[in-house]
Structures are given as C-alpha cells and as structure tokens.
Amino acid sequence: GENVEQHPSTLSVQEGDSAVIKCTYSDSASNYFPWYKQELGKGPQLIIDIRSNVGEKKDQRIAVTLNKTAKHFSLHITETQPEDSAVYFCAASDSEDSSYKLIFGSGTRLLVRP
Amino acid sequence: GAGVSQSPSNKVTEKGKDVELRCDPISGHTALYWYRQSLGQGLEFLIYFQGNSAPDKSGLPSDRFSAERTGGSVSTLTIQRTQQEDSAVYLCASSLDRGLTPEAFFGQGTRLTVV
C-alpha cells in the first residue's frame, strides 16, 4: 500500500520568509496529491491539490510542485504571515483505484514568527 | 448542510464502555472516510466507504472498531469496550466522487477521552 513521508516535522520561519515542506510517496500509481492545513481545535482544511498530469500549481502565496519520477511533491508558501502558523499535512492517493483512499504524511508544524 | 458535521464534538467515557460517533457528510458526497488523530500525531486511516461498494476496513486497529453507513449518507463509528489508548480525535471526511473530484472535506472531529 501507499506510504507517505513528510519533512520537516517542525519548521520555524520569520514573517515574510518562505517555507517549504516536502513529501515522498511510495506507490507509483498515486495520481492525486492534496495539502491540508489544520489549525488548533479544527479539522484539516484543503488548501491546494495537484494531479499527476501537471508539475506545478499556484494559488496566490501557495504553490505545489510534483516530481513523478522521483515520487516527491512539495508545498511552498511565500511571504509567510503569522496566520500561516498551523500544522500542514500532505496526502497521496490513486483516484482511479477501486480501493482509493487518502494516505497522509505525519504533518509539519509551521510557526511564523512576527 | 454546508459542511461535514460530526457529533458529539467531545465525548468522555469510562474504560470498557461502548461509544458511537456520528458523521453527517456533505449532501451528495458518495465517498466517506474515518481517520484517527492522536495528540500531536498525523491522520491514521481507519475506514473508507464509496457508494454501494464494500467498505475498505483495512485501517481499523482491532475488532472492537466497526463502522456503518446507512442509506449512503450518515455514518457511525462504534468502538466497543473502549480502552485508554482509544483516546484521540476521530475525524470524518467526505468527497463527491473518486475520479474527477476527489477533494475530501473534513469535519471538526470528535475528541474522545477514555478515563
């Protein structure tokens, strides 16, 4: 089955700097890679996703890149703000598989220092 | 409703008791997932329902755990003879379908404390 590894487990950056979180996956059949943000006491919220037919996707200050050959994908947050502080999770799945399910990484706690 | 709704939001139970956790998915979503999140940890997959297909139960940690989804909508996760190690936040998510729009939306979770 799929296995997703996420690094780093914690990340502290100065406000305005960029933050990068990296994930690797094991199942070459995986073709859908979402990223979730979880604030304290809340459920995870989808912030961006990418499918295997593209290599990069951007949404304002957030971007995700995918390298299918190397089986890794990354989240990039530019011009970080204190409200970006949260736990971020990557996930992977094979959306064409009858047993499709999302497998999550272990999470990255991001702290943006004012 | 507008989003995935879970109840109760908090549950404290005595060791050995049974508990039921409820999830109301977004209307029309055919896929429903249960995950468990222990304190400071990631999301552990428990079970996945997709339409009328047999559920994927591969993540259930023991036979004390079971889940049902009635009428393709509401789901209940049941934990029998609860143990202290069952204490965690149980998260439910739903998505519209598998292929074209697999985006999963999460509820706020049920925090279960076994004392």
Side-chain angles (χ1 to χ4, degrees):
Chain A
E2 177 65 275
N3 181 53
V4 178
E5 295 191 354
Q6 183 171 346
H7 301 281
S9 56
T10 60
L11 179 59
S12 179
V13 299
Q14 192 70 39
E15 181 178 0
D17 288 349
S18 295
V20 180
I21 302 170
K22 299 182 179 181
C23 289
T24 61
Y25 61 98
S26 61
D27 188 351
S28 58
S30 289
N31 57 13
Y32 175 64
F33 307 92
W35 285 88
Y36 285 82
K37 176 183 181 182
Q38 187 176 30
E39 297 176 326
L40 193 63
K42 298 183 178 180
Q45 182 176 12
L46 180 71
I47 55 171
I48 195 169
D49 58 16
I50 191 168
R51 288 166 172 76
S52 59
N53 57 346
V54 297
E56 183 176 6
K57 183 177 179 180
K58 290 183 178 180
D59 182 4
Q60 299 183 343
R61 298 186 296 108
I62 294 173
V64 57
T65 59
L66 171 65
N67 183 328
K68 285 213 72 178
T69 302
K71 290 192 283 189
H72 66 68
F73 55 113
S74 300
L75 178 71
H76 303 252
I77 306 174
T78 58
E79 301 172 23
T80 53
Q81 301 167 3
E83 53 264 38
D84 294 331
S85 296
V87 179
Y88 292 80
F89 293 96
C90 63
S93 76
D94 175 3
S95 64
E96 299 303 321
D97 192 327
S98 61
S99 63
Y100 159 81
K101 56 183 179 277
L102 285 170
I103 301 300
F104 284 83
S106 54
T108 296
R109 183 174 301 277
L110 174 64
L111 174 64
V112 180
R113 306 186 304 273
Chain B
V4 177
S5 177
Q6 291 188 246
S7 60
S9 54
N10 284 283
K11 176 72 176 178
V12 180
T13 189
E14 291 181 351
K15 178 181 174 181
K17 300 283 189 181
D18 298 351
V19 294
E20 279 192 358
L21 312 180
R22 177 187 169 103
C23 173
D24 283 89
I26 294 173
S27 178
H29 280 195
T30 61
L32 186 147
Y33 318 77
W34 283 97
Y35 288 86
R36 179 169 70 175
Q37 186 174 32
S38 300
L39 186 62
Q41 301 299 309
L43 283 74
E44 176 189 5
F45 168 76
L46 296 178
I47 188 168
Y48 164 65
F49 297 90
Q50 172 61 52
N52 295 322
S53 301
D56 179 348
K57 304 180 181 180
S58 60
L60 295 179
S62 78
D63 58 8
R64 296 187 294 105
F65 289 71
S66 63
E68 291 184 342
R69 189 178 185 192
T70 53
S73 181
V74 172
S75 178
T76 55
L77 176 69
T78 301
I79 309 174
Q80 295 178 311
R81 305 181 301 282
T82 51
Q83 304 295 314
Q84 288 186 330
E85 60 262 30
D86 299 334
S87 297
V89 175
Y90 290 82
L91 291 160
C92 175
S94 70
S95 65
L96 183 58
D97 62 41
R98 189 170 64 230
L100 294 177
T101 49
E103 295 90 343
F105 298 85
F106 280 85
Q108 291 200 317
T110 294
R111 181 175 297 279
L112 175 66
T113 303
V114 182
V115 297

